[in-house]
Amino acid sequence: MMDEHKGIRQKLSMLLDAELDWRDNPRLLDRLESEEEFRAVWAHYHLIGQVIRSPGGLLADADFAARVSAMIRDEPTVLAPRQESRAVETAGRHKVATLAMAASLVAVAVLIGKSLTDHSGDFYASSMQSQVIAAADSKSAESVEKMAEAQFNDYLLVHNESAYLAGSAGMLPYVRLVSSGPDR
Amino acid sequence: MGGQGDQADEELVKRVQRGDKKAFDILVLKYQHKIVQLINRYIRDQTEALDIAQDTFIKAYRALPTFRGESAFYTWIYRIAINTAKNHIATRARRPSDDDIDIETAEQFETAVGLRDQETPEGVLLSEELAHVIQRALDELPDELRTAVSLRELDGLSYDEIADVMNCPVGTVRSRIFRAREAIDKKLQALLG
Amino acid sequence: MTQKIIGKIAVLMLICGLAQGAENPQTDARAWLVATKRSMSHLNYRGMVTYLKDNRVESLKVVHGVSNGVEQERLLSVNSPMREVIRNAEKVTCYFPDSRSMFVEYKPPRQSFLLDLPKDLTDQSRHYAFSLGGTEHVAQRPARLVNIQPLDDYRYGRRLWVDVESKLPLKFELIDENGQVLEQMVFNSLVIEDSIPAQELAASTQSDPSWQVKQHETLPADSLIWTLGGVPDGFRMISYSRLKRDSENRTVDHILLSDGFSSVSIYIDGLTNESFTAQPRKVGAINSYTRKLDQYLVTVMGEVPAKTVQSIGNGIHR
């Protein structure tokens, strides 16, 4: 255990010097974020560097980071994941990111095929295309309602299928998917 | 230098943009002193400089959705810091103060030594004490450790370059820098308890 | 039908610090949850589960086995239609005999689908309070109640009854803001074994090549043009998908959010039809909210209170 922590501190030292690629150590950033011990080391190493560079210069006070952190917690979370598609290559490597739970990169998935809801009014089946177009053309109140209903169920299904990714902290997160009958 | 440092920043920024606020904490810990010192060049009063630095980070957090990575994160937040400091001076221009120095003068200074005519806040006192501990610990380091970490921090040399200068393997450089930090950190921990 | 207390469990208990005299009740409750997660992935067991929702009762069979470090699970609905989910290490296959189709997904390793808990509960402590309740009998076994209470009204609460002996989850309830039970799952019977034979973990559904296979394909990421401004703290983005619908250029963006316990899906649909209304809906545990955004139709749904989906829905902009 002690050696492991020392190993991580050593990696943090290298990370600070930009001599370590975080992508080779994906857990390093996670641990840095979640473990107080490593955050303290990170903070101290940066403090040391600052003092070496500017002895006598003004430093952030000891509680500065904690104050900022508390204020950020109160800020509304704004999500705007913009993925830059830069070619990130170092020494000829091209790393492919993998999707891990609640922590990482965005993947674009394409779901092809018809919705698995088994009742008529299926909005998206290509075989039902004509039905859809007919419904749209007729513009009658019920057909629009039918479309809305089918669309809603499609969304619901996709949501339930994704439940395992999100971690619903229920027992048996697939149950909704497996349970019979439409989710109404 | 900076390529991979930027990459870690890039990843942290992406995490924040995905809702991970802790990633922002890591960025704050990395840049807090640099930003504070930068603002201190424009705003002499220590308490105010700290407040404005704090504002800078909050502004940066709020503006992060618009950050597209065209520049390095630090370059971006550096500009936010300067703008925040300048705005503060501008709004105070109606109430002239002896403390703040004008912008042109500020930009000539590499480092500003904080004025002592105000009461120094307690948190700052602790930081100063930590700085003394660090200085002493540095002096007490074996020569090769102090040299290695100074070449890295002060001169900004890469491990490879330091290996050249010190005529030793890169692994030794890595180890010396780490040991220097560990030794100094130990003394910091002793103070912080 | 053998039942054994495996020596491992005693070790697990020690590791998780469940010895008497643990100080902090919140830590205790979390320790129970961590132990639960461990047991689910390490033990071999089978049982029958009752699932209650909207006054509907369903029965499901659950089997879990580990051999050579590889986890396998099987969930079978015994009501008609007999849907089935099989997990083999990271691969999850859902069979839908009623529509002659199946869904295949690759799940991150080391995650049981019996109980999904976030890796580390520290984040969640900001938004949920964990506490231990009393001991009750579930499936003729003593079980300790673990409460997961939301600290704001953007989330739902949960109650989990954990088997004292094995630390497996025996009963689960999803609770809404009024204390109403939205969903309940409970083991009627549970047997822990030394090992489970392979045939019990194999799919019983007979599929054939005519079945449609639905699969997620991962493509290089695109940029997301939406900014989400009304998301309660603690929710993170889990995935972003672009769903293809029809053969036209219509796309639906699906953004999945989670705070580790509750998940919310956002659908941004390029289909324009002014007749679609923006009425909030509730379907069992799931609340839904719809609104127009320029030429898009935005739908937000999830196992969260209505105000949450509304807040998220109203906070979306380009």
Side-chain angles (χ1 to χ4, degrees):
Chain A
M1 186 67 158
M2 285 319 296
D3 281 334
E4 194 214 1
H5 281 218
K6 184 171 172 183
I8 300 213
R9 291 199 301 275
Q10 187 157 38
K11 285 191 173 167
L12 289 176
S13 175
M14 291 171 65
L15 184 71
L16 186 153
D17 294 331
E19 298 273 349
L20 179 124
D21 192 340
W22 72 268
R23 291 166 305 177
D24 291 332
N25 300 271
R27 285 276 295 143
L28 186 62
L29 289 182
D30 295 340
R31 295 196 72 170
L32 178 57
E33 280 186 20
S34 58
E35 288 172 66
E36 173 59 47
E37 179 197 335
F38 299 130
R39 276 203 308 279
V41 165
W42 179 253
H44 290 176
Y45 285 0
H46 279 101
L47 176 65
I48 292 167
Q50 186 71 15
V51 170
I52 293 175
R53 278 187 300 274
S54 319
L58 180 62
L59 297 166
D61 63 284
D63 298 317
F64 184 87
R67 283 202 304 279
V68 172
S69 179
M71 290 173 72
I72 299 290
R73 288 297 170 281
D74 290 335
E75 288 281 311
T77 308
V78 182
L79 302 183
R82 292 169 198 274
Q83 184 83 0
E84 302 298 323
S85 51
R86 292 184 202 169
V88 222
E89 276 158 35
T90 319
R93 279 172 317 188
H94 181 61
K95 290 285 179 177
V96 176
T98 52
L99 184 68
M101 183 167 151
S104 62
L105 300 183
V106 167
V108 174
V110 174
L111 289 176
I112 301 166
K114 79 177 181 78
S115 160
L116 295 174
T117 46
D118 58 353
H119 48 279
S120 59
D122 235 338
F123 191 42
Y124 307 104
S126 48
S127 59
M128 301 270 194
Q129 187 94 350
S130 46
Q131 214 183 67
V132 164
I133 292 169
D137 283 346
S138 74
K139 284 197 174 79
S140 72
E142 327 133 32
S143 57
V144 165
E145 232 185 82
K146 252 191 169 177
M147 276 166 68
E149 193 60 30
Q151 180 189 71
F152 182 84
N153 285 316
D154 183 45
Y155 288 167
L156 198 56
L157 186 72
V158 172
H159 176 79
N160 287 335
E161 282 170 356
S162 314
Y164 86 84
L165 268 180
S168 59
M171 253 171 73
L172 304 170
Y174 283 109
V175 158
R176 286 193 208 115
L177 201 61
V178 163
S179 73
S180 63
D183 252 54
R184 267 184 230 274
Chain B
M1 193 324 258
Q4 275 170 331
D6 284 356
Q7 266 158 26
D9 281 2
E10 214 180 285
E11 169 60 14
L12 287 167
V13 165
K14 282 188 184 144
R15 288 180 179 213
V16 181
Q17 287 173 332
R18 262 176 256 127
D20 181 359
K21 285 180 175 176
K22 289 207 276 225
F24 195 77
D25 293 344
I26 304 301
L27 288 166
V28 172
L29 288 174
K30 181 169 176 179
Y31 291 119
Q32 57 180 336
H33 304 298
K34 282 189 165 141
I35 295 292
V36 162
Q37 181 159 93
L38 171 64
I39 289 174
N40 192 216
R41 278 198 236 164
Y42 299 80
I43 311 284
R44 283 194 169 175
D45 179 273
Q46 293 183 347
T47 314
E48 270 184 58
L50 289 169
D51 278 344
I52 290 165
Q54 199 171 281
D55 272 350
T56 300
F57 280 107
I58 306 300
K59 283 208 170 98
Y61 176 77
R62 289 178 187 156
L64 217 48
T66 64
F67 176 65
R68 294 209 204 346
E70 322 84 6
S71 65
F73 174 77
Y74 182 58
T75 313
W76 180 75
I77 197 174
Y78 182 99
R79 276 190 238 115
I80 294 178
I82 303 227
N83 290 335
T84 312
K86 283 185 179 176
N87 285 340
H88 179 86
I89 294 173
T91 57
R92 282 177 55 132
R94 301 166 219 138
R95 304 172 282 121
S97 156
D98 294 327
D99 298 336
D100 301 337
I101 53 180
D102 56 68
I103 293 158
E104 290 74 37
T105 323
E107 274 162 347
Q108 288 170 30
F109 284 91
E110 277 299 313
T111 62
V113 180
L115 293 179
R116 290 313 164 104
D117 24 301
Q118 295 88 17
E119 205 173 280
T120 313
E122 200 184 297
V124 177
L125 283 174
L126 176 59
S127 285
E128 289 175 359
E129 218 183 313
L130 292 176
H132 289 144
V133 167
I134 292 171
Q135 287 284 48
R136 273 200 306 274
L138 260 172
D139 292 335
E140 286 164 18
L141 284 177
D143 288 343
E144 71 275 8
L145 299 196
R146 185 176 52 254
T147 306
V149 76
S150 301
L151 287 173
R152 173 79 268 282
E153 296 284 12
L154 212 46
D155 298 289
L157 299 189
S158 71
Y159 285 12
D160 282 331
E161 288 164 345
I162 297 172
D164 267 340
V165 167
M166 295 184 76
N167 201 31
C168 66
V170 166
T172 307
V173 172
R174 180 187 315 140
S175 163
R176 283 176 181 172
I177 291 175
F178 176 59
R179 277 154 56 203
R181 287 175 175 149
E182 285 267 273
I184 301 173
D185 189 25
K186 239 199 192 99
K187 307 231 165 102
L188 285 177
Q189 307 230 16
L191 180 69
L192 296 166
Chain C
M1 291 232 295
T2 47
Q3 208 175 79
K4 278 191 183 170
I5 300 168
I6 303 171
K8 271 195 259 182
I9 299 172
V11 175
L12 283 175
M13 282 183 68
L14 279 172
I15 290 172
C16 299
L18 290 171
Q20 312 111 336
E23 337 73 38
N24 182 347
Q26 176 105 256
T27 322
D28 270 355
R30 282 164 61 176
W32 275 81
L33 289 176
V34 171
T36 303
K37 197 170 162 68
R38 265 208 148 102
S39 289
M40 284 174 335
S41 52
H42 285 70
L43 300 180
N44 294 288
Y45 48 88
R46 73 167 75 79
M48 292 298 300
V49 169
T50 300
Y51 173 55
L52 282 114
K53 196 185 89 171
D54 287 346
N55 299 319
R56 216 171 61 227
V57 176
E58 299 222 8
S59 278
L60 301 139
K61 179 170 170 162
V62 177
V63 189
H64 177 272
V66 185
S67 72
N68 296 327
V70 175
E71 264 191 85
Q72 284 179 284
E73 294 174 285
R74 179 162 161 249
L75 180 65
L76 175 68
S77 160
V78 297
N79 299 106
S80 155
M82 305 233 313
R83 296 179 177 175
E84 188 170 19
V85 177
I86 300 285
R87 177 162 90 92
N88 196 323
E90 308 90 57
K91 183 179 175 187
V92 176
T93 310
C94 306
Y95 295 94
F96 302 95
D98 43 335
S99 57
R100 298 174 62 78
S101 54
M102 44 198 268
F103 167 67
V104 180
E105 186 64 85
Y106 289 87
K107 200 173 153 73
R110 274 179 277 111
Q111 263 180 302
S112 166
F113 69 33
L114 181 62
L115 176 67
D116 269 343
L117 279 174
K119 270 191 294 215
D120 158 4
L121 294 164
T122 329
D123 269 349
Q124 283 67 34
S125 320
R126 301 182 49 80
H127 307 291
Y128 295 92
F130 304 99
S131 61
L132 285 173
T135 304
E136 301 170 26
H137 272 73
V138 181
Q140 292 93 48
R141 305 170 71 100
R144 193 73 189 273
L145 170 60
V146 181
N147 290 301
I148 300 169
Q149 269 167 305
L151 293 174
D152 61 27
D153 46 7
Y154 284 104
R155 295 153 231 270
Y156 284 149
R158 284 145 178 91
R159 284 201 284 255
L160 189 68
W161 284 259
V162 178
D163 183 41
V164 170
E165 192 179 284
S166 68
K167 301 298 172 297
L168 288 173
L170 296 181
K171 180 170 161 181
F172 164 87
E173 281 177 352
L174 181 71
I175 318 283
D176 76 4
E177 61 268 57
N178 302 313
Q180 292 253 346
V181 177
L182 295 170
E183 245 182 11
Q184 191 193 81
M185 295 174 218
V186 57
F187 272 98
N188 300 122
S189 64
L190 174 67
V191 172
I192 300 166
E193 305 272 19
D194 284 340
S195 69
I196 300 276
Q199 58 264 36
E200 264 193 79
L201 291 158
S204 59
T205 311
Q206 304 282 7
S207 67
D208 64 55
S210 73
W211 281 41
Q212 189 159 52
V213 180
K214 187 171 165 184
Q215 207 160 359
H216 280 233
E217 271 174 48
T218 309
L219 300 176
D222 252 339
S223 17
L224 189 68
I225 62 169
W226 308 103
T227 299
L228 310 177
V231 178
D233 191 44
F235 279 90
R236 294 191 196 177
M237 220 190 64
I238 306 301
S239 74
Y240 164 47
S241 318
R242 186 154 278 167
L243 315 179
K244 251 202 195 163
R245 289 292 181 262
D246 319 340
S247 49
E248 299 155 23
N249 283 331
R250 173 169 165 248
T251 53
V252 182
D253 280 1
H254 173 219
I255 302 165
L256 182 67
L257 308 175
S258 170
D259 70 352
F261 283 94
S262 305
S263 65
V264 176
S265 282
I266 303 170
Y267 298 95
I268 304 173
D269 195 330
L271 176 84
T272 45
N273 188 320
E274 295 81 38
S275 326
F276 282 26
T277 53
Q279 296 297 340
R281 269 181 85 155
K282 192 183 176 93
V283 172
I286 294 181
N287 275 298
S288 162
Y289 173 68
T290 314
R291 75 175 250 256
K292 288 295 292 294
L293 175 65
D294 302 338
Q295 73 273 34
Y296 296 92
L297 184 71
V298 173
T299 306
V300 183
M301 58 171 58
E303 304 83 48
V304 287
K307 82 183 265 192
T308 310
V309 292
Q310 275 177 43
S311 168
I312 295 173
N314 289 332
I316 298 174
H317 56 273
R318 288 228 241 187

